Amino acid sequence: MQAQSCCLEQRRSELLRHVKDDLFQIGESVAGRDGWHEAVRVYVLMNDGCPLLFDSGSHIHSGEIMAELKSLLGDTAPGYVFLTHTELPHTGNIKLILDVWPDTKLVVSSAILPHVELPWWVADDQVLYGYAGTEETYGGRRISFLDGILKDQPGTHWMYDGTTGTLFTADAFGYLYPGAADLKFDDELEDGIAGDWLKRYHESAFRFLPMVSGAKVTADIARVFRKRDVRAIAPTHGNAVRHDIAQCIDRFNNAILEICR
């Protein structure tokens, strides 16, 4: 029993990873068909005493994620949790977070229907709204909002932190990967994130893609990156991309063009 507990603690310490600057990544993974794995990540900007969380992870990983969060945050309560959208892999631990840190605020897209998409126990005064095309300050940190280019819910939005240059992209830029790549960032892989990994994920997560214009999607993506100094990409279903952003975008675009008509 003691050995099992030690293994769990080691696993948690491995999953709590420093991405860059004050950006950290935690979360778990799900094993799927044919040995392919899918990540479910939560990102934390430590933000000098007012931590900002991006998504809350899946409820099936509640124990692990809450342990990782408490290990990272210590006695400091998160100031805000930014939800990219309200699907369960992104909101599954909101209740536990608010139970432990009741003063934490939720920041959601102005496009969601709060009384439909948020649980009944979330009080109105706990919720703040992010509007695409605007920038607001949270705990002294400027966060800008943009409409998500790829959506699996109408209210999906993305966030950008100019301090670290991080673009939080919800499901977009996620990827499926073999188990050996579970905890590795792009600079820790032999040749970065494989195009096949990106293609497998996007054709599974966005089943509407064969019906849309790939050229339109890649043009919209190009505009997002042209307007911002993106130095890290933080997808919920993949590890943060922190090294070769251009390579990742190029492989993402190729995957989209192969999937789309």
Side-chain angles (χ1 to χ4, degrees):
M1 194 66 158
Q2 185 176 3
Q4 183 180 16
S5 176
C6 289
C7 288
L8 286 173
E9 289 302 321
Q10 181 181 4
R11 173 70 175 165
R12 286 171 185 160
S13 66
E14 289 173 345
L15 289 171
L16 171 55
R17 301 215 60 196
H18 177 230
V19 180
K20 65 189 298 286
D21 303 325
D22 70 340
L23 177 65
F24 288 79
Q25 170 187 291
I26 64 174
E28 280 285 348
S29 300
V30 178
R33 290 187 305 177
D34 303 323
W36 292 95
H37 292 236
E38 180 179 329
V40 183
R41 302 301 189 220
V42 176
Y43 295 96
V44 182
L45 291 171
M46 294 302 287
N47 192 35
D48 195 25
C50 182
L52 311 181
L53 277 56
F54 293 83
D55 283 336
S56 73
S58 171
H59 62 290
I60 66 174
H61 303 136
S62 291
E64 295 88 344
I65 286 175
M66 291 304 295
E68 292 159 18
L69 269 179
K70 291 174 182 177
S71 174
L72 175 62
L73 300 181
D75 296 329
T76 305
Y80 303 88
V81 181
F82 296 80
L83 300 179
T84 58
H85 56 305
T86 57
E87 189 183 27
L88 271 176
H90 307 262
T91 62
N93 295 302
I94 287 298
K95 187 174 191 310
L96 291 176
I97 290 172
L98 295 181
D99 283 347
V100 176
W101 300 293
D103 293 330
T104 300
K105 302 292 186 184
L106 304 181
V107 184
V108 303
S109 168
S110 62
I112 76 161
L113 303 173
H115 297 294
V116 175
E117 297 182 58
L118 292 177
W120 63 269
W121 42 261
V122 175
D124 290 344
D125 61 1
Q126 288 179 295
V127 182
L128 303 173
Y129 294 93
Y131 295 82
T134 68
E135 184 178 78
E136 299 290 344
T137 301
Y138 302 89
R141 192 75 162 247
R142 300 289 288 177
I143 301 294
S144 59
F145 300 91
L146 58 155
D147 202 21
I149 303 302
L150 293 181
K151 301 172 179 281
D152 60 346
Q153 284 188 333
T156 300
H157 66 167
W158 296 357
M159 282 74 72
Y160 173 71
D161 167 48
T163 303
T164 59
T166 303
L167 182 65
F168 300 91
T169 58
D171 289 7
F173 288 91
Y175 54 92
L176 301 180
Y177 52 86
D182 188 11
L183 301 175
K184 295 182 179 179
F185 294 119
D186 59 321
D187 54 307
E188 298 170 335
L189 297 164
E190 187 173 342
D191 187 33
I193 297 165
D196 178 58
W197 299 1
L198 290 158
K199 182 181 177 185
R200 284 175 182 272
Y201 176 78
H202 286 82
E203 65 187 357
S204 165
F206 302 103
R207 287 176 288 175
F208 58 82
L209 280 176
M211 297 179 283
V212 304
S213 166
K216 176 69 165 60
V217 174
T218 56
D220 288 345
I221 290 291
R223 186 161 55 250
V224 167
F225 284 88
R226 190 165 58 246
K227 290 181 176 180
R228 296 164 183 85
D229 176 23
V230 178
R231 303 187 298 278
I233 303 172
T236 301
H237 299 295
N239 294 323
V241 182
R242 64 181 188 178
H243 175 62
D244 198 335
I245 304 298
Q247 179 193 68
C248 182
I249 295 172
D250 184 58
R251 292 178 177 179
F252 168 88
N253 285 340
N254 289 337
I256 292 297
L257 292 173
E258 288 179 23
I259 298 168
C260 296
R261 61 185 173 93

